[in-house]
Amino acid sequence: MNKLPLGRFPALRMRRMRSSDWSRRLVAETSLSPNDFIHAVVLKEGTGVREPVDAMPGVHRLSVDRAVELAMEARDLGIPALALFPYTDAEARTPGGEEALNPDNLMCRAARAIKQAVPDIGLMADVALDPYTDHGHDGLMRDGVILNDETVEVLVKQAVAEAEAGFDIIAPSDMMDGRVGAIRQGLDEAGCENVQIMAYAAKYASAFYGPYREAIGSAGVLKGDKRTYQMDPANTDEALREVALDLAEGADSVMVKPGLAYLDIVARVKEAFGAPTFVFQVSGEYAMIKAAAQNGWLDGDRAMLEALMAFKRAGANGVITYFGMEAAKALQSG
Ligand code: PBG
């Protein structure tokens, strides 16, 4: 008797499971839903403002009133949280970035207004000085050097101001050493012990942040680059050490940034620590998909959902993304 060898072609045909939609849905190993998104929002002073960001088609700088409207829509779409970023005019910037500490700054006013109108949406605040400094760096600068410990002291105050304004997640994106522990202590001393910290733990010095700098008004002002504090794209063991330190200092969750070019880091971080792990699909990743779609070079919706799914497959619990609203709508309409 000539028996077919099982587990081998032709008895085994991998295409069998892929042959219809119902079957593909049954065996899908990863899923994507609006619960996976922290939608990124850029704020601007004024009222009724909805100003396009040239390098990010579909993204607008929103005044607080408009951001409140967006928050309602996001909640209705099932998006759990928003990440807010402020645009600042060159004239409003200072060497020390003092506006970061103003409890009535754009970020804090937006948080209070959104929390009042939509109390059940999570709000995440970036902690770093780059939207406020006239040199565009994330920290204080002396003689061309970004100061570590002096910067951390200021970041703690910025974090407390943001937490007191109603932000639920404080996300230090500055890459100074020791800032997570200092911010945790500062938050606890201010009575904000329930405010979370999501550490931008493995943040690389990346060209993919280009469009963001235009979005927040840093593009023209940034002097030099951020390579003395952000990570070298060549490194991966170093990312694990950064994550280990931030978790030891009290981070509730960690982030890898950028996303698509760093999926190996996401996978390693999740595997090594099993901590809540997020990935930031940054401005340049958004811009690439949008630009190609606008030219008819790829299907924008499919590319968007494929990239977002890839983050989940690599091990991310969620994604900070400018596509949040659009992706939620696309998922809703099937
Ligand atoms: C600043 C900050 C950056 C981003 C988030 N927070 C830019 C940078 O580090 O230069 C990038 C976001 C994006 O590109 O979408 N600390």
Side-chain angles (χ1 to χ4, degrees):
M1 270 261 274
N2 224 354
K3 264 198 160 179
L4 273 178
L6 295 176
R8 291 232 311 251
F9 179 82
L12 175 67
R13 291 175 182 272
M14 293 298 279
R15 291 183 54 192
R16 216 176 270 138
M17 301 292 266
R18 298 177 200 139
S19 60
S20 47
D21 180 62
W22 64 262
S23 179
R24 290 192 293 270
R25 281 188 282 133
L26 274 178
V27 300
E29 297 172 38
T30 311
S31 66
L32 192 62
S33 93
N35 290 332
D36 299 319
F37 307 141
I38 298 178
H39 181 67
V41 179
V42 184
L43 302 169
K44 191 163 183 204
E45 292 289 354
T47 38
V49 177
R50 189 166 181 275
E51 178 183 277
V53 177
D54 291 342
M56 301 178 71
V59 172
H60 298 83
R61 300 186 189 97
L62 302 178
S63 50
V64 170
D65 55 321
R66 291 295 183 94
V68 169
E69 290 168 12
L70 178 138
M72 293 176 181
E73 205 189 328
R75 178 210 37 213
D76 295 345
L77 284 166
I79 292 176
L82 303 176
L84 308 186
F85 301 92
Y87 168 89
T88 320
D89 278 329
E91 306 84 69
R93 291 163 174 264
T94 56
E98 282 80 6
E99 182 64 7
L101 308 184
N102 174 2
D104 262 326
N105 68 19
L106 179 58
M107 286 282 279
C108 293
R109 275 182 281 122
R112 281 194 290 268
I114 293 172
K115 277 290 168 181
Q116 199 181 356
V118 196
D120 47 350
I121 201 160
L123 285 185
M124 174 163 134
D126 221 52
V127 175
L129 300 181
D130 60 315
Y132 308 107
T133 51
D134 63 359
H135 45 69
H137 279 288
D138 293 20
L140 302 173
M141 187 163 76
R142 190 190 302 140
D143 302 329
V145 175
I146 306 306
L147 305 172
N148 193 88
D149 301 13
E150 292 85 339
T151 297
V152 170
E153 275 180 41
V154 180
L155 297 177
V156 171
K157 294 183 190 147
Q158 181 184 18
V160 170
E162 290 171 338
E164 286 178 340
F167 282 100
D168 306 284
I169 309 174
I170 295 297
S173 73
D174 53 285
M175 291 298 279
M176 297 301 119
D177 288 317
R179 89 279 204 216
V180 172
I183 289 172
R184 183 70 272 160
Q185 191 183 336
L187 291 174
D188 288 0
E189 282 168 10
C192 302
E193 60 278 332
N194 287 324
V195 171
Q196 300 179 14
I197 297 179
M198 181 189 294
Y200 282 71
K203 175 168 177 178
Y204 288 85
S206 172
F208 291 104
Y209 307 151
Y212 168 88
R213 299 204 181 135
E214 184 215 315
I216 68 154
S218 280
V221 298
L222 180 63
K223 295 194 174 70
D225 60 49
K226 301 191 175 183
R227 283 184 243 201
T228 67
Y229 45 106
Q230 298 179 348
M231 281 183 54
D232 182 346
N235 296 351
T236 151
D237 289 341
E238 187 186 349
L240 295 191
R241 296 183 70 202
E242 284 282 7
V243 169
L245 282 169
D246 287 355
L247 289 172
E249 287 178 32
D252 301 286
S253 58
V254 293
M255 188 206 295
V256 173
K257 175 184 176 194
L260 211 51
Y262 296 83
L263 291 180
D264 56 326
I265 311 296
V266 177
R268 271 192 91 188
V269 165
K270 187 63 181 183
E271 167 86 26
F273 300 99
T277 302
F278 292 83
V279 58
F280 199 141
Q281 181 187 45
V282 300
S283 55
E285 301 176 60
Y286 176 90
M288 287 193 299
I289 292 177
K290 279 291 177 188
Q294 279 187 343
N295 278 296
W297 295 337
L298 51 69
D299 179 332
D301 268 10
R302 283 188 55 202
M304 163 181 78
L305 295 174
E306 185 176 328
L308 291 168
M309 182 71 84
F311 299 131
K312 292 288 305 292
R313 193 194 61 235
N317 294 84
V319 189
I320 295 95
T321 174
Y322 302 91
F323 278 126
M325 305 282 284
E326 219 179 315
K329 286 179 201 161
L331 290 170
Q332 216 171 43
S333 61

